[in-house]
């Protein structure tokens, strides 16, 4: 039998929490060979199913390209490729004060962006917390709250020497990152609420018109100029600051991408009849890639469980393999399987690990970045959150497993980027990709792994594609799109169907 020794101490998590820890170590030389062999065998098995070869990645890229093309060709496809009615890139000549309202999942954010041209801007912003009651209150009441907060913001920031002139109206960009159908840039019909919202009498209605009703009722001096998705805003804001930016991606709780497409290459819009070389931003909504049929992505049995136990089985197949909402759950399912097989946490009560989504994706990030020989951060996670003690061998296994899952997510993300790059012919000339979201910004090595994946797909030419931290799409991007739309309207170039 192995000899167990106990130790104790404390560790401080990045959140500031100081955790008491108790370790359970085992003398390696007398650890049963069967136990060591079982752990190693399981790690090799998991490596085989979570590792993406370059050949498999290239196959995924080709299938992804086909889905993008189909979404441009026909409406209501798996990857919907939603036209945004944002025409062309910012010129750099956009100037003036523009307001932006971002209705997020947790907060309402109001921004005043002073667009100064040539990639420069200044931003002032305030956040207003959304209660759970407001998310499920009558839809018009939700927009009334948005209007009231906007009015408060204007009254605060346009006082005294900065007061608005009588009759002055400010252009407003409204970031509404919930799936909508749009037939022009300042209207949008809500398809369904996501992110925990459920405000009745909103789905199937034009949310821009609902917001205008509230703005009028509260006498707010603005004109709602543009309704946008945050990924589209990220594309425009990032290009405004760095004109080499051709693609924008979000890798966070969800995932999405946007890029600029020639209108002549969008067959489902052939009826709008504008210039051959006109360009329009496309909101891909690519999290749905390979949904329902599941023919192209390398799903494991753990991914299947995540999908089948979700609120929308079969949907958002790509997102469920790479987004921050699901990575922790995938790792938890592996751990639970090995507990059931008697490989992990022998003789301990593991009921806390049996709770779905109890293992946060942030834990994977912490495990991968643990700098200590004893992996003290991992000790803290398991003792504090799950009341179980770990051996060093178990902790090393957990870190290796986190790396496998995190690396797969980054390499699949690279496949999505590569599909757009390949489709648009950006490879030889190269391009920048504006990237945002918690996975990209906070997960150690995620960006480097995306770049490695691009090289595996394209060879050395993949180094021509560089991701960078994106500008604030829901604030700055929304304001710049409002500025662009105002200029187009003034020039008589406003287009809808």
């Amino acid at each position: 039998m192995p000899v167990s020794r106990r130790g104790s101490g404390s560790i401080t998590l990045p959140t500031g929490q100081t955790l008491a820890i108790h370790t359970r170590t085992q003398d390696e030389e007398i650890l049963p060979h069967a136990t060591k062999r079982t752990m190693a065998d399981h790690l090799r098995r998991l490596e085989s199913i979570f590792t993406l070869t370059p050949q498999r990645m290239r196959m995924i890229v080709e299938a992804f390209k086909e889905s993008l093309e189909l979404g441009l060709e026909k409406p209501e496809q798996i990857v919907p490729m939603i036209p945004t009615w944002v025409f062309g890139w910012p010129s750099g000549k956009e100037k003036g004060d523009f307001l932006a309202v971002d209705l997020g999942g947790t907060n309402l954010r109001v921004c005043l962006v002073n667009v100064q041209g040539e990639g420069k801007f200044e931003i002032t912003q305030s956040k207003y917390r959304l209660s759970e009651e407001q998310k499920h209150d009558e839809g018009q009441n939700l927009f009334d709250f948005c209007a009231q907060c906007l009015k408060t913001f204007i009254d605060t920031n346009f006082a005294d020497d900065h007061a608005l002139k009588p009759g002055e109206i400010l252009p407003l960009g409204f970031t509404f990152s919930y799936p909508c159908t749009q037939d022009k840039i300042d209207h949008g019909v809500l398809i369904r609420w996501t992110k925990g919202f459920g405000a009745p009498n909103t789905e199937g209605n034009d949310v821009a018109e609902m917001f205008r009703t509230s703005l009028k009722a509260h006498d707010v001096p603005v004109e709602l100029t543009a309704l946008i998705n945050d990924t589209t805003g990220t594309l425009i804001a990032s290009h405004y600051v760095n004109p080499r930016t051709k693609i924008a991606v979000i890798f966070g709780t969800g995932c999405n991408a946007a890029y600029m497409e020639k209108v002549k290459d969008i067959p489902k819009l052939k009826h709008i009849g504008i210039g051959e070389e006109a360009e329009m931003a496309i909101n891909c909504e690519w999290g749905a890639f390979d949904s329902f049929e599941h023919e192209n992505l390398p799903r494991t049995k753990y991914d299947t469980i995540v999908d089948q136990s979700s609120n929308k089985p079969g949907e958002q197949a790509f997102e469920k393999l790479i987004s921050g909402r699901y990575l922790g759950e995938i790792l938890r399912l592996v751990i639970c399987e090995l507990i059931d097989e008697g490989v992990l946490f022998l003789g301990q009560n593991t009921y806390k690990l049996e709770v779905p989504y109890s293992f946060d994706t942030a834990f994977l990030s912490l495990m991968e970045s643990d700098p200590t020989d004893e992996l003290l951060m991992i000790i803290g996670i398991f003792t504090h959150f799950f009341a179980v003690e770990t051996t060093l061998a178990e902790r090393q296994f957990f870190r290796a497993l986190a790396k496998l899952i995190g690396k797969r997510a980054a390499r699949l993300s690279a496949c999505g980027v590569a599909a757009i790059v390949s489709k648009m012919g950006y490879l030889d000339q190269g391009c920048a990709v504006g990237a945002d979201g918690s996975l990209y910004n906070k997960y150690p090595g995620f960006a480097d792994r995306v770049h490695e994946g691009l090289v595996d797909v394209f060879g050395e030419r993949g180094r021509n594609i560089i991701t960078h931290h994106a500008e604030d799409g829901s604030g700055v991007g929304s304001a710049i799109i409002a500025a662009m739309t105002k200029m187009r309207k003034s020039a008589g170039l406003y287009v809808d169907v």
Side-chain angles (χ1 to χ4, degrees), residues 375-392:
L375 301 178
L376 298 178
M377 192 69 73
I378 300 177
I379 294 174
I381 290 169
F382 280 92
T383 57
H384 179 73
F385 293 101
F386 303 105
V388 292
E389 297 175 5
T390 55
T391 66
L392 179 58

Side-chain angles (χ1 to χ4, degrees), residues 182 241 400:
Q182 289 185 261
V241 174

Side-chain angles (χ1 to χ4, degrees), residues 143 174 176 180 188-190 202 205-211 227:
F143 291 110
F174 183 26
F176 187 80
C180 291
V189 175
L190 177 63
T202 312
N205 293 334
D206 186 339
V207 293
E209 280 304 305
M210 292 181 73
F211 194 20
L227 178 75

Side-chain angles (χ1 to χ4, degrees), residues 87-142:
F87 287 96
W89 301 108
S91 66
K93 299 178 181 178
E94 295 83 3
K95 294 183 179 181
D97 288 329
F98 297 88
L99 289 164
V101 169
D102 173 23
L103 183 62
T106 305
N107 299 301
L108 174 75
R109 190 164 64 114
V110 182
C111 309
L112 171 62
V113 184
N114 177 242
V115 183
Q116 301 169 346
E118 298 180 352
K120 299 176 182 178
F121 62 87
E122 291 181 355
I123 184 169
T124 303
Q125 58 184 313
S126 295
K127 289 184 179 179
Y128 305 88
R129 187 77 176 183
L130 288 162
S131 69
E132 288 302 311
E133 291 76 12
Q134 285 171 316
K135 295 179 184 180
H136 298 275
D137 195 3
E138 184 71 25
Q140 197 62 58
N141 292 342
L142 176 63

Side-chain angles (χ1 to χ4, degrees), residues 305-349:
I305 295 170
V306 166
D307 179 36
Q308 291 176 348
S309 61
S310 71
N311 63 333
K312 294 183 178 177
E315 299 183 30
Q316 297 299 99
F318 188 52
E319 183 170 280
K320 287 172 181 171
L321 269 62
I322 70 173
S323 87
R325 171 159 176 73
Y326 301 104
L327 299 189
E329 178 66 0
I330 295 169
L331 186 141
R332 188 193 70 84
L333 289 170
V334 177
I335 290 176
C336 287
E337 179 183 63
L338 296 182
I339 290 171
D340 291 343
E341 293 181 9
V343 178
L344 297 174
F345 305 126
L346 301 180
Q348 297 189 70
N349 192 332

Side-chain angles (χ1 to χ4, degrees), residues 7 39 101 137 166 174 211 213 239 243 248 277 280 290 327 329 366 368 382 403:
M39 194 80 77
V101 169
D137 195 3
F174 183 26
F211 194 20
T213 298
H239 186 276
E277 295 306 307
M280 183 191 294
D290 203 38
L327 299 189
E329 178 66 0
L366 292 171
E368 279 213 55
F382 280 92
K403 184 175 180 179

